[in-house]
């Protein structure tokens, strides 16, 4: 039996998608939010009796405001998470400088907890602590489950969210922009968008596209039903 030369983790057998860039979560969240929020928005005001032109203007306003808000929120949240990670890295480095023996003992106990015998665990811990940066990374991975090198970009998350929200929010108002502004068409366009978005997201996560599409359509339908009911109850006064 030949020995497999492993050039990179799992390269001989399987591969993994990049889960650290941050664009997928922001893009999926943005697209779903744009679809559901704008679909519910136009359903509510159309049910209240607003004219097609008003529905279109409201939908465009919701698209612009929502896309900017999503982008700012993603940028701030990702940057804050990265700054928190940087703070934890500083804390860990200070601990290694202040008490290297204690940190090494902590790593040894971790290896022992994983089933490594005491002698081997101590030897590995000493080798890891021979390089301060490697030791810091190992402690962060074991204690927090994070790596200092794997920080998502706040700009990537913000741009992905902005674009995805804009596309998602545009779909349900397309009929009104194209001149056949009937709520039924808006709901149909939005429903197709929800199915596509849910299916595509499911494929990225290697789940059933049918289940993902149906789940998103269900969630979107609940939101539309709620806003439609409220719009019908409120109505528009003929001032």
């Amino acid at each position: 039996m030949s020995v497999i030369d492993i050039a990179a983790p799992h390269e001989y057998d399987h591969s993994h998608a990049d889960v650290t860039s941050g664009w997928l979560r922001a893009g999926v969240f943005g697209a779903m939010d744009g679809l559901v929020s704008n679909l519910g928005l136009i359903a509510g005001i159309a049910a209240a009796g607003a004219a097609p032109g008003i529905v279109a203007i409201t939908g465009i306003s919701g698209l612009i405001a929502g896309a900017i808000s999503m982008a700012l929120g993603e940028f701030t949240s990702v940057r804050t998470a990265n700054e928190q990670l940087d703070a934890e890295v500083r804390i860990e480095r200070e601990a290694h400088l202040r008490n290297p023996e204690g940190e090494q003992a902590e790593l040894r106990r971790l290896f022992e907890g994983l089933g490594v015998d005491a002698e081997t665990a101590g030897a590995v811990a000493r080798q890891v602590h021979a390089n301060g940066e490697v030791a810091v990374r190992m402690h962060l991975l074991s204690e927090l489950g994070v790596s200092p090198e794997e920080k998502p970009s706040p700009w990537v998350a913000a741009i992905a969210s902005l674009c995805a929200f804009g596309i998602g929010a545009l779909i349900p108002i397309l009929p009104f922009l194209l001149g056949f502004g009937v709520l039924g068409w808006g709901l149909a366009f939005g429903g197709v968008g929800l199915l596509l978005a849910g299916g595509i997201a499911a494929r990225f996560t290697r789940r059933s596209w049918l289940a993902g599409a149906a789940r998103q359509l269900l969630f979107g339908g609940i939101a539309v039903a709620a806003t439609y009911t409220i719009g019908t109850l409120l109505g528009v006064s003929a001032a």
Side-chain angles (χ1 to χ4, degrees):
M1 182 176 180
S2 61
V3 177
I4 300 174
D5 182 18
I6 304 177
H10 310 308
E11 189 174 276
Y12 70 98
D13 179 62
H14 63 282
S15 62
H16 292 290
D18 181 10
V19 297
T20 62
S21 63
W23 70 267
L24 180 58
R25 182 195 64 84
V28 170
F29 183 38
M32 300 303 187
D33 194 18
L35 271 165
V36 174
S37 62
N38 235 23
L39 187 58
L41 179 62
I42 66 168
I45 63 171
I54 299 299
V55 175
I57 293 172
T58 304
I60 293 172
S61 300
L63 185 159
I64 295 171
I68 294 173
S69 175
M70 286 289 295
L72 292 175
E74 283 293 336
F75 182 89
T76 303
S77 63
V78 173
R79 184 161 185 171
T80 301
N82 288 346
E83 290 171 348
Q84 183 183 30
L85 176 55
D86 291 338
E88 295 301 323
V89 171
R90 289 193 297 271
I91 291 172
E92 196 64 42
R93 285 190 178 129
E94 291 169 0
H96 280 252
L97 292 173
R98 184 173 59 253
N99 185 17
E101 294 83 5
E103 292 296 306
Q104 183 173 312
E106 182 181 47
L107 190 59
R108 187 197 70 238
R109 290 193 297 270
L110 170 68
F111 290 142
E112 291 176 356
L114 294 174
V116 180
D117 64 83
E119 182 179 353
T120 303
V124 174
R126 284 192 298 273
Q127 292 181 31
V128 170
H129 273 257
N131 185 314
E133 287 303 307
V134 172
V136 167
R137 289 200 301 270
M138 179 62 73
H139 279 267
L140 287 170
L141 282 170
S142 63
E143 295 170 22
L144 300 178
V146 295
S147 173
E149 290 80 18
E150 296 179 350
K151 294 190 294 185
S153 167
W155 287 106
V156 169
I159 293 171
S161 182
L162 177 75
C163 296
F165 186 98
I167 293 171
L170 178 64
I171 292 175
I173 62 174
L174 273 176
F176 296 90
L177 299 178
L178 296 175
F180 50 103
V182 178
L183 179 59
W185 278 109
L187 295 178
F189 272 55
V192 171
L194 289 168
L195 288 171
L196 288 174
I200 292 172
R203 297 306 295 171
F204 272 115
T205 56
R206 303 181 185 183
R207 295 175 55 256
S208 166
W209 69 268
L210 185 59
R215 180 182 64 180
Q216 196 56 38
L217 182 62
L218 173 63
F219 290 164
I222 293 172
V224 170
T227 56
Y228 185 89
T229 301
I230 294 171
T232 302
L233 294 174
L234 294 177
V236 174
S237 62

